[in-house]
Amino acid sequence: MWIRLRLLWLFCAALSVGAGSLLASDDPLFHSSDPLASRDDAGVFHQMANLNPTDWAPRYRSRLFYYNKSEDTLVSDPAYVGSLQVSLHRYGYYCGPIDGVFSGEVTDAIARMQKAYTMRVTGRLTVPVRRALNLP
């Protein structure tokens, strides 16, 4: 009697582990395409060996310092442009490299985002664009 119960328990435990791994492989969390959050097949974060130029760029400690900056100042800041590129990539508007350079691809991505959010399409980094991307 006890042997049957123990075998039944082991079978159910093995089945639940197998089903859990099957469900985990279908989870989009484990198939992250975010270049700043690389994961392996098990969904574990890993440090990347290569560094971007934006990793060494100086940045403010608080978001409050970015609120009073003009568009021209923010576009020339590689750390801010890198975070802009990551935000645009996360929403699916930007597919280029995350290098902190405000290029034509970034302008096109902003224009596509403005069109999707029914804003006036200018391709410029305006305050409504910053708010829609949750950037300061």
Side-chain angles (χ1 to χ4, degrees):
M1 175 76 178
W2 289 106
I3 295 174
R4 286 185 188 171
L5 286 175
R6 185 152 199 154
L7 287 174
L8 181 64
W9 183 82
L10 287 174
F11 177 73
C12 290
L15 185 63
S16 66
V17 168
S21 65
L22 181 65
L23 292 174
S25 65
D26 293 337
D27 191 4
L29 178 68
F30 295 121
H31 303 291
S32 175
S33 62
D34 188 0
L36 299 179
S38 59
R39 296 175 180 256
D40 62 0
D41 293 336
V44 179
F45 282 118
H46 288 283
Q47 295 290 332
M48 296 185 306
N50 53 353
L51 294 172
N52 296 325
T54 56
D55 294 333
W56 298 106
R59 60 191 79 211
Y60 294 114
R61 291 179 184 249
S62 175
R63 292 173 62 103
L64 294 175
F65 293 108
Y66 288 102
Y67 285 117
N68 295 328
K69 300 291 181 182
S70 68
E71 174 189 353
D72 297 328
T73 307
L74 293 175
V75 167
S76 64
D77 182 11
Y80 192 85
V81 174
S83 65
L84 172 68
Q85 290 170 335
V86 169
S87 296
L88 288 169
H89 179 75
R90 185 173 293 129
Y91 287 110
Y93 298 111
Y94 180 70
C95 298
I98 312 286
D99 56 0
V101 177
F102 195 82
S103 62
E105 293 178 5
V106 177
T107 304
D108 293 341
I110 291 174
R112 284 192 296 274
M113 193 213 72
Q114 287 173 332
K115 185 176 180 181
Y117 280 78
T118 62
M119 298 178 191
R120 183 172 175 229
V121 178
T122 60
R124 298 180 56 153
L125 182 63
T126 59
V127 173
V129 169
R130 291 164 53 186
R131 297 299 176 260
L133 293 173
N134 296 322
L135 292 172

